[in-house]
Every structure is written in structure tokens, then in C-alpha cells.
Amino acid sequence: AAFLGFKSFRMGATYRTVLARLLDWDTVKDFGALGNEVANDFAAFEKAIAGVPSGATIYVPPGRYYMSSAAQTLLIDRDISLVGAGEGASVLIFEHSVPGTDAITIGNVDETRVGIRLEYIGIQFKNGNTRHVINTQSFTSKLTFNHLDIRTYNTSFAFRASGAAIRIGGVGTLGGLNDWLLIQHCYLALCTYGIAAVARNTINARITQNTTASITLESLFWTTGGQSQIDNNTFQYSNLGADGSRKFYTVVLDGGSPSDVNNITFGPGNSFQANGGAGLGPAVIRTCEMLV
């Protein structure tokens, strides 16, 4: 491969070696993933994350990747990126046996991860044991979630994630913050929360052109940080329970003190939608788009 020539069929392409072409992308299939929705590809994803150099991009070719393990959560504890072929083409299907388990965890306590990207991937969960679909455990910088489709398996209404579709966390005793966060073009459905930014100091974030659907509590829940812009999103919630005494807000900006949430530009182009269901109507004592 180091001596054989290769030339793309694209206009203007030049020759290079087959080896150089092969080194362009690491893929999960290089590490044994099949993507046939039958074989368990969890270990292959773990090997791929551990086996590439820092800063690498791991390509997830079209396929439906069944993910189940005693370890339960897929841990991304290195500064790498997972990039698929499209939200409907490259799909990760998680099945958890233990209630309250996260599908994907980014980082560990008391560390900062830089430059991680998850793009053009569908993420589904097969039962009600899933807590957060994506949970950042470390502090993050230049974190990107782009073109993700998060929902239940086969869009089942029988169960939903008990936590958030995307939770921006970050915990530990060393301090830290989350900065330069980008969440865009994501579809977040059938979770309790859409996006929850509950870490210490989430700043310089851009949340744009996302859609939430069938979210039972807040589509956006923000508790600390600021200097961020939230625009051109479609926020939707639905109460599927029968308790009409609960309060419903689509977006909550709620810090422990007035300085905790600051300098957030909300808009333009955001829309709010209430998706009907049992419990909505006159029995609900308070419903509004935003609570600050």
C-alpha cells in the first residue's frame, strides 16, 4: 500500500499512495464493529476510542450499531471525535440492563476535555433504564454536538430517558468551566429534559437550530453561566401524565443567585410549542414558555 498509487475520481484530484488514503480515517469497523444491529458493537467502540491518537476523528460508517455492556456507559475519556454518515445512517442503539444508566459519558471527574465532537449520528435507547443519553462528566472546552438525532428505539412512546438528552455537567474539586460549547441541528425527543446545562460556569455557548419533541419537563434547563446565545430553536414539551397540579415551563433559567445566570441572548427565531396529552388543559395551574 505504501507503493501503490491512488487517484480519486473527483475532478482535479492528484495521485498519492493507497497507504496515505487508508490513513485518512480511523473507523469503528477497523476495531471490529459490524453495524448489523445483531452483533454487540460496544467493545469495538471502546477499542476505537482507546486505540486512536489524541485529536483523531473516528468515522462511524452507515449501519445500526447495537450497544450493550456490563460497563453500561460508553466512556469518551480522550480528546477525540465520533463522526457518522448522517443521523439516520449511522445509528447507535443502547440497551441498558441497570436503571439510571447513561448512554454516553464524556470525561471523568476533575479533568478537562478539549475539542470533542459528536456529529451526524443517531442515538437511540431501547428501554426505560436510560438516564442521560449524553452526559459530560468532565469540564469541557470546544465541545461540539452537531446533527444528532436522539430518541427512543423505533420512536416508542412506552418509555423515555429519565434524564436529559444532553446534560452539560462537569464536577470535581479542582474547579473549571465549560466554554465554547456548540449544540446545533440536533433533534432531541422522548426524554425528561432536552438540554440541561447544570455544570459550574457554562459560558460562550451557542445553542441554535435544534428541535425538542415530547419532552416532559424543560426543553432547556440552565442553572449556571452565561455569555451565550440561544436562537432559532423549536422548544416543545408534553405532559404525558395525569397530574394536572404540576407546573410546566419550556425553558427555565434558574441560578442559585442572580449572578449565576447572566448575559444570555435569547433569540431571535425561537418558537415554543405545547404538545398535548393527559393533564394539559384547565387542570394545569401554570404553563408558560419561559421561567427566569
Side-chain angles (χ1 to χ4, degrees), residues 5-18 20-21:
F6 168 84
K7 183 179 180 181
S8 171
F9 62 86
R10 303 295 188 189
M11 184 178 297
T14 60
Y15 278 99
R16 56 183 179 147
T17 67
V18 171
R21 170 67 169 175

Side-chain angles (χ1 to χ4, degrees), residues 157-170:
F157 282 84
F159 50 83
R160 65 182 60 242
S162 61
I166 298 174
R167 179 182 182 274
I168 307 303

Side-chain angles (χ1 to χ4, degrees), residues 144-287:
T144 298
F145 298 128
N146 179 37
H147 283 277
L148 301 181
D149 187 312
I150 296 176
R151 64 178 75 197
T152 60
Y153 181 75
N154 288 338
T155 318
S156 172
F157 282 84
F159 50 83
R160 65 182 60 242
S162 61
I166 298 174
R167 179 182 182 274
I168 307 303
V171 294
T173 60
L174 300 182
L177 52 81
N178 296 278
D179 66 344
W180 302 109
L181 166 70
L182 175 62
I183 303 176
Q184 67 176 1
H185 297 292
C186 293
Y187 181 80
L188 313 173
L190 291 163
C191 298
T192 301
Y193 297 91
I195 299 169
V198 296
R200 194 181 307 159
N201 292 332
T202 297
I203 64 173
N204 299 320
R206 178 83 185 277
I207 298 175
T208 182
Q209 300 181 74
N210 303 287
T211 298
T212 64
S214 295
I215 299 297
T216 52
L217 291 179
E218 287 82 33
S219 288
L220 175 63
F221 182 61
W222 192 299
T223 64
T224 177
Q227 302 173 43
S228 301
Q229 180 156 328
I230 303 164
D231 62 83
N232 294 295
N233 301 282
T234 299
F235 294 119
Q236 180 190 98
Y237 69 84
S238 65
N239 171 24
L240 300 182
D243 183 2
S245 65
R246 296 170 65 187
K247 300 177 182 179
F248 294 94
Y249 310 104
T250 313
V251 173
V252 169
L253 308 177
D254 184 15
S257 67
S259 63
D260 284 348
V261 179
N262 61 84
N263 295 315
I264 292 179
T265 300
F266 202 90
N270 294 301
S271 69
F272 301 89
Q273 299 178 4
N275 187 25
L280 284 177
V284 178
I285 63 172
R286 187 179 301 166
T287 301

